[in-house]
Amino acid sequence: GVRHEPTNKIVLDLERLYDDASEELAYVARYARAIQQQRGDYNGRVLSIRADDLRSLAIVYDSSPSGLIERLTEHGVLVADPRALFAS
Ligand code: C2E
Ligand code: C2E
Ligand code: C2E
C-alpha cells in the first residue's frame, strides 16, 4: 500500500497566515481560503487541514510534506495545540 509519513494533525493559524506578507506562503493562503469555502468554515481562528492536502501543497513548493511543515513552522503559522489558543 501507500506509505504515509507519520504526521500530527496539521492546524494552521489563519490570522498569521493571512497576515503574512511574504510571497512564499501565497499558495498556502489561497489553499486555506479554498478549503474554508468548501467547508463553509469561515469563522475559525484556525483550520485543520488534511494530510493529503499537505502532500499536494508540498508538490507545489517542490518540497516534501515534512519540508513544507518546516517552512510553515519558520513562518510561525502552525498551531501545535489549538486548544491552548482558546485557553487564555
Ligand atoms: P467529502 O470529502 O465527501 O466530505 C463530506 C463531509 O464528511 C465533510 O463535509 C465533513 O463533514 C466530513 N468529513 C470528511 N472528511 C473528514 C475529516 O477528515 N474530518 C472531519 N472532521 N470530517 C470529515 P464538509 O466539511 O462540509 O466538506 C464538504 C466537501 O468539501 C467535502 O466532501 C470535500 O469534497 C470538500 N472538502 C472540505 N474540506 C476539504 C479539505 O480539507 N480537503 C479537500 N481536499 N476537500 C475538502
Ligand atoms: P472545538 O470546535 O470546540 O473542538 C474541540 C475538540 O473536539 C477538537 O479539538 C477535537 O478533538 C474535537 N472535534 C471537534 N470537531 C471535530 C471534528 O469535526 N472531527 C473530529 N474528529 N474531532 C472534532 P482540536 O482538534 O484540538 O481543536 C481545538 C479547537 O480548535 C476547536 O475547538 C476549534 O475551536 C479549533 N479548530 C480546530 N480545527 C478547526 C478547523 O478546521 N476549523 C475551525 N473553525 N476551528 C478549528
Ligand atoms: P479529524 O476529523 O480528527 O480526522 C482525523 C483523520 O481521520 C483524518 O485525517 C482522516 O484520515 C480520517 N477521517 C476522519 N473523517 C473522515 C471521513 O469522513 N472520511 C475519510 N476518508 N477519512 C476521515 P486527515 O484527512 O489528515 O484530516 C485532518 C483533519 O483535517 C481532520 O481531523 C479534520 O479536523 C480536518 N478535515 C479534513 N477533512 C475535512 C473535511 O472534509 N471537513 C472538515 N470539516 N474537516 C476536515
Side-chain angles (χ1 to χ4, degrees), residues 14-26 29 75-77:
L14 292 179
E15 238 167 71
R16 293 202 179 173
L17 177 62
Y18 294 153
D19 280 350
D20 191 289
S22 66
E23 196 65 16
E24 205 185 355
L25 294 187
H75 284 271
V77 299

Side-chain angles (χ1 to χ4, degrees), residues 56-68:
S56 306
L57 260 180
I59 292 168
V60 172
Y61 283 91
D62 201 13
S63 179
S64 62
S66 52
L68 180 54

Side-chain angles (χ1 to χ4, degrees), residues 2 5 7-8 13-15 23 25-28 36 42 49 58 60 63 65 70-71 78 82 85 87-88:
V2 181
E5 284 187 42
T7 41
N8 295 315
D13 185 327
L14 292 179
E15 238 167 71
E23 196 65 16
L25 294 187
Y27 288 111
V28 179
Q36 280 191 283
Y42 296 109
I49 68 161
V60 172
S63 179
E70 225 168 89
R71 282 202 220 191
L78 279 191
L85 270 184
S88 48

Side-chain angles (χ1 to χ4, degrees), residues 7-10 35 39 41 47-53:
T7 41
N8 295 315
K9 192 152 151 165
I10 299 125
I35 289 172
R39 294 184 191 166
D41 183 4
L47 187 73
S48 303
I49 68 161
R50 290 185 187 176
D52 276 344
D53 289 337

